[in-house]
């Protein structure tokens, strides 16, 4: 089982998400906060970034990484995203890669993301969600 996470509402209407190991992020509706849909896209982008990190840094050097941009198509009738589009961009201009080396890096990045991105694997399948509601009184 994964680490325990929870959310709590703030007096200003925003929400804070916490993890048992001390991570924290603010979300909600409105300006300056991420929506839950944004967090889904961030999870996908973050997973691709972390999954590709070894391939990129091994080829281009420590501290180098990909910029991952994710958007999605929202279906208002079903209140769900029907797809996500992910762009992984690696700035390798300074590395002087040959076309062959660039193609090899692209293949390695794709392979690493396809193998190691749990979020992508989860989004690509139907994922049941069990929900319990408890009213403490």
């Amino acid at each position: 089982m994964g680490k325990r996470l929870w959310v709590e509402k703030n007096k200003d209407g925003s929400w804070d998400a916490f993890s048992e190991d001390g991570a924290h992020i603010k979300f909600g509706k409105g300006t300056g906060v991420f929506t839950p849909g944004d967090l889904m896209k961030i999870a996908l982008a973050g997973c691709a970034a972390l999954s590709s990190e070894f391939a990129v840094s091994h080829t281009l050097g420590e501290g180098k990484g990909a910029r991952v941009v994710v958007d999605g198509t929202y279906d208002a009738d079903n209140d769900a995203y029907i797809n996500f589009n992910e762009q992984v961009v690696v700035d390798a201009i300074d590395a002087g890669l040959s076309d062959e080396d660039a193609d090899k890096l692209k293949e390695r990045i794709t392979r690493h993301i396809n193998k190691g991105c749990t979020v992508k694997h989860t989004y690509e399948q139907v994922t049941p969600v069990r929900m319990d509601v408890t009213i403490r009184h």
Side-chain angles (χ1 to χ4, degrees):
M1 186 150 245
K3 67 179 161 182
R4 193 166 156 255
L5 306 173
W6 68 94
V7 299
E8 297 175 2
K9 190 168 185 178
N10 297 308
K11 291 180 182 178
D12 68 359
S14 67
W15 291 76
D16 286 312
F18 300 94
S19 73
E20 63 189 358
D21 64 358
H24 168 257
I25 190 167
K26 188 181 221 53
F27 71 98
K29 295 180 181 178
T31 306
V33 292
F34 295 112
T35 67
D38 294 336
L39 295 175
M40 290 175 61
K41 292 181 245 180
I42 289 169
L44 184 59
C47 193
L50 291 175
S51 296
S52 67
E53 185 175 28
F54 176 79
V56 174
S57 64
H58 184 261
T59 301
L60 302 179
E62 281 300 313
K64 300 291 184 182
R67 178 174 188 201
V68 183
V69 179
V70 175
D71 63 12
T73 303
Y74 178 72
D75 176 3
D77 292 338
N78 293 305
D79 189 29
Y81 284 93
I82 58 173
N83 65 49
F84 293 102
N85 301 301
E86 187 171 35
Q87 294 180 305
V88 179
V89 179
V90 176
D91 184 352
I93 293 172
D94 294 342
L97 297 179
S98 67
D99 289 346
E100 182 181 341
D101 288 341
D103 287 343
K104 285 180 184 177
L105 178 57
K106 180 178 178 177
E107 289 173 22
R108 285 184 69 208
I109 289 169
T110 302
R111 195 169 56 248
H112 280 260
I113 292 171
N114 286 337
K115 181 181 177 191
C117 185
T118 304
V119 176
K120 183 175 186 286
H121 300 160
T122 303
Y123 286 174
E124 291 176 335
Q125 66 181 353
V126 176
T127 306
V129 176
R130 186 179 68 87
M131 182 180 75
D132 294 320
V133 177
T134 302
I135 307 298
R136 295 179 1 176
H137 63 283

